[in-house]
Amino acid sequence: MTARTSGPRAQVAPALQNSHLVDPQALPWQPTRFPGVSWKMLMEDPASGMFTALMRWEPGAELPFHEHTEIEQTYVLSGRLVDDDGECGPGQFVWRRKGSRHTARTPEGATMLAFFLKPNKFFDGQG
């Protein structure tokens, strides 16, 4: 199966009509506005705000205090995701309900697959 590129976020096989095949290894890591946190956007619907991303957090990276505006789901591939409720390690899954708030960090770094129905609301003055 050969793939064609329709931008840095998608690798879609031309023979597929309803499925969108994404090759994460072919996508570059994109920095986020948070130091030490980068991602590869696997799926994004700008109209609804829904997206799925492969996320890479460097050791000591932290997401400032934020609210989940809808359910967020995270599967940890490597490292640990830590907050005041505890930690989620390799092969573990955590989801947070709408309205939950926390600061998240990765003491030794982590790689995660994250699913968002809508983007988080941050309280750091930048949205």
Side-chain angles (χ1 to χ4, degrees):
M1 180 181 310
T2 60
R4 65 179 168 81
T5 303
S6 61
R9 294 187 175 189
Q11 300 290 321
V12 180
L16 302 176
Q17 294 182 4
N18 296 309
S19 300
H20 300 272
L21 177 63
V22 177
D23 181 3
Q25 291 187 19
L27 299 176
W29 287 103
Q30 301 290 325
T32 67
R33 68 181 177 96
F34 305 104
V37 179
S38 57
W39 61 13
K40 295 182 179 195
M41 193 66 67
L42 304 178
M43 188 284 298
E44 182 177 29
D45 179 11
S48 69
M50 180 173 60
F51 67 93
T52 302
L54 189 59
M55 301 188 77
R56 180 176 66 187
W57 295 33
E58 300 298 325
E62 181 175 292
L63 229 59
F65 189 64
H66 60 278
E67 178 179 312
H68 296 277
T69 57
E70 285 293 340
I71 291 174
E72 175 219 271
Q73 304 174 71
T74 304
Y75 181 78
V76 177
L77 299 164
S78 66
R80 291 182 304 135
L81 179 62
V82 179
D83 69 6
D84 291 338
D85 285 340
E87 65 180 64
C88 186
Q92 293 182 318
F93 175 84
V94 60
W95 67 274
R96 293 183 175 85
R97 67 187 61 158
K98 177 181 178 175
S100 63
R101 295 179 175 193
H102 71 142
T103 298
R105 60 193 178 283
T106 57
E108 63 275 332
T111 303
M112 301 166 273
L113 183 60
F115 308 89
F116 295 85
L117 297 178
K118 289 189 177 176
N120 294 328
K121 177 180 179 181
F122 288 89
F123 300 100
D124 63 349
Q126 295 186 36

